[in-house]
Amino acid sequence: MSTEQLKEYLTTAVAIAKEVGPAFTDGFWRTGRFAASSDFASSEKMGNGADCVTEVDRYIEKTIFSRIRQIYPEHKFVGEETTAENGEDYIVTDEPTWIVDPVDGTNNFVHHFPYTGVSIALAINKEPVMGVIYLPVLDELYTAARGQGAFMNGMPLPIIRSPALTTPSSLADCMILSEHGHTRTEEVMGPRLASFTRLLLDKKLGGGCVQNLRITGATCPDLTMVAKGVADVCWELGPHAWDFAAGVVILTEAGGAVFDGAGWWGKDIPEAERTPKPLNIWNRKILAIRYIPDLAGRPGSGREVQKKLAKEVLEIVGDLEYAPDGLR
């Protein structure tokens, strides 16, 4: 795939994201076309009141897919509302596949919490190569294509740079973002909360003693904050490909690193094998680390620190079983 072709895909995604922006803000503020929607507020998705869908989700996803199909009718499509809501199966192939979350952070959206937005990604050979995240309420547009850098409103990422962007020596220097998810069973919430506890516990008690643990309610904004450099780590179990495919491109093009998020706590793993593994976007487990500048006179030391921090996280968080996205 040529650089020019990738630029064309990115230009298309940006134009479509901007096109649906006014509908997004209308829905957020209950104005315009959504001012009088009696059924707008939300409806349960997959029988779980903690996971909801709105008329805005459906409208934006339909609009995005319609526009892309007009331009690239031969491409494949995966969207949250066409798969999660209807339970539709889809096959993951090597063909160009557009991965869309029309409203990431729907609960935030419903409650007027501004960390919510539109996510559009393109995967080729099962790997994301282009990503756009638009947070209309915050007026932040994040864009990236493989090998072409990452930007927020045209400014190169990360926004926070040296000397303000320091090199953490351990998790105790880090702000971590995570999510509690929408599955509220004891079997899921117990291990998840235990992982949060270990991240926060003092090191003398076997914890990571992280400086901050934040839950914003949406994966896309989480990854944009790591890409900007205002958060150090994002760890999540259970999100879908549409929740983070675009963010992965933006983060890695901003110098960040992504790994498989399956934790090692409670597992009998030999020390020689305790190495962070590459991320597979379809496996629903992600660990993301921000860009870290090299230490003076030590080229490549930033990447070493990213792996060190990833290992520290994986040592103290657990794992949960989730069915991978798509059919193989």
Side-chain angles (χ1 to χ4, degrees):
M1 178 179 51
S2 69
T3 299
E4 291 307 312
Q5 181 67 76
L6 201 51
K7 287 181 178 179
E8 178 187 306
Y9 292 144
L10 181 59
T11 299
T12 297
V14 168
I16 295 173
K18 289 181 176 180
E19 178 185 346
V20 300
F24 190 102
T25 51
D26 274 350
F28 186 88
W29 296 115
R30 315 295 196 269
T31 57
R33 72 174 71 240
F34 298 108
S37 293
S38 60
D39 61 347
F40 166 80
S42 67
S43 58
E44 291 186 4
K45 183 164 61 178
M46 304 298 285
N48 182 346
D51 194 18
C52 60
V53 61
T54 70
E55 290 304 310
V56 182
D57 293 79
R58 299 185 181 102
Y59 173 83
I60 291 179
E61 182 171 298
K62 182 179 179 180
T63 300
I64 291 172
F65 281 172
S66 174
R67 298 292 185 269
I68 296 174
R69 284 192 176 101
Q70 292 172 7
I71 305 170
Y72 308 112
E74 72 282 5
H75 287 188
K76 305 294 184 182
F77 300 87
V78 173
E80 177 172 13
E81 307 319 326
T82 56
T83 56
E85 182 184 3
N86 299 324
E88 295 180 4
D89 290 330
Y90 60 93
I91 298 174
V92 177
T93 73
D94 290 336
E95 298 179 53
T97 302
W98 294 84
I99 306 170
V100 172
D101 192 342
V103 180
D104 182 65
T106 303
N107 277 315
N108 287 354
F109 183 91
V110 168
H111 291 280
H112 305 284
F113 191 64
Y115 292 97
T116 175
V118 181
S119 176
I120 304 174
L122 177 67
I124 297 177
N125 297 323
K126 302 185 182 71
E127 294 290 334
V129 297
M130 182 280 301
V132 171
I133 294 176
Y134 185 29
L135 310 180
V137 181
L138 299 176
D139 192 27
E140 294 179 355
L141 176 66
Y142 296 85
T143 62
R146 181 176 290 177
Q148 299 179 26
F151 304 86
M152 185 198 82
N153 294 347
M155 296 182 289
L157 294 172
I159 298 297
I160 310 300
R161 294 176 175 268
S162 299
L165 189 67
T166 59
T167 298
S169 59
S170 72
L171 287 183
D173 299 325
C174 294
M175 173 187 283
I176 293 188
L177 305 178
S178 192
E179 300 298 335
H180 50 60
H182 59 79
T183 302
R184 304 301 170 80
T185 64
E186 188 174 347
E187 292 78 11
V188 170
M189 291 306 298
R192 192 185 294 277
L193 293 176
S195 290
F196 289 166
T197 298
R198 288 190 297 272
L199 286 168
L200 290 164
L201 272 176
D202 191 286
K203 288 188 174 184
K204 295 178 182 177
L205 299 174
C209 198
V210 300
Q211 281 192 337
N212 295 287
L213 175 63
R214 297 286 183 260
I215 295 175
T216 68
T219 304
C220 286
D222 285 351
L223 291 175
T224 63
M225 283 188 273
V226 178
K228 275 198 295 188
V230 301
D232 303 293
V233 178
C234 175
W235 171 71
E236 296 186 26
L237 300 178
H240 293 275
W242 49 78
D243 293 313
F244 58 77
V248 164
V249 184
I250 294 165
L251 175 63
T252 53
E253 285 297 312
V258 292
F259 306 94
D260 181 88
W264 304 335
W265 181 265
K267 296 180 180 179
D268 185 16
I269 302 175
E271 181 59 35
E273 298 177 16
R274 289 177 176 260
T275 301
K277 298 178 180 178
L279 173 72
N280 181 331
I281 68 163
W282 309 100
N283 283 349
R284 305 180 57 189
K285 302 172 184 183
I286 183 171
L287 173 58
I289 313 289
R290 69 161 167 86
Y291 164 75
I292 295 175
D294 289 339
L295 298 172
R298 291 183 53 189
S301 59
R303 291 296 185 189
E304 293 174 4
V305 174
Q306 287 174 330
K307 292 179 182 178
K308 175 180 178 291
L309 293 175
K311 184 176 181 180
E312 287 187 36
V313 172
L314 295 173
E315 292 280 8
I316 58 176
V317 299
D319 191 13
L320 292 168
E321 292 300 319
Y322 288 96
D325 282 332
L327 303 175
R328 306 303 197 276

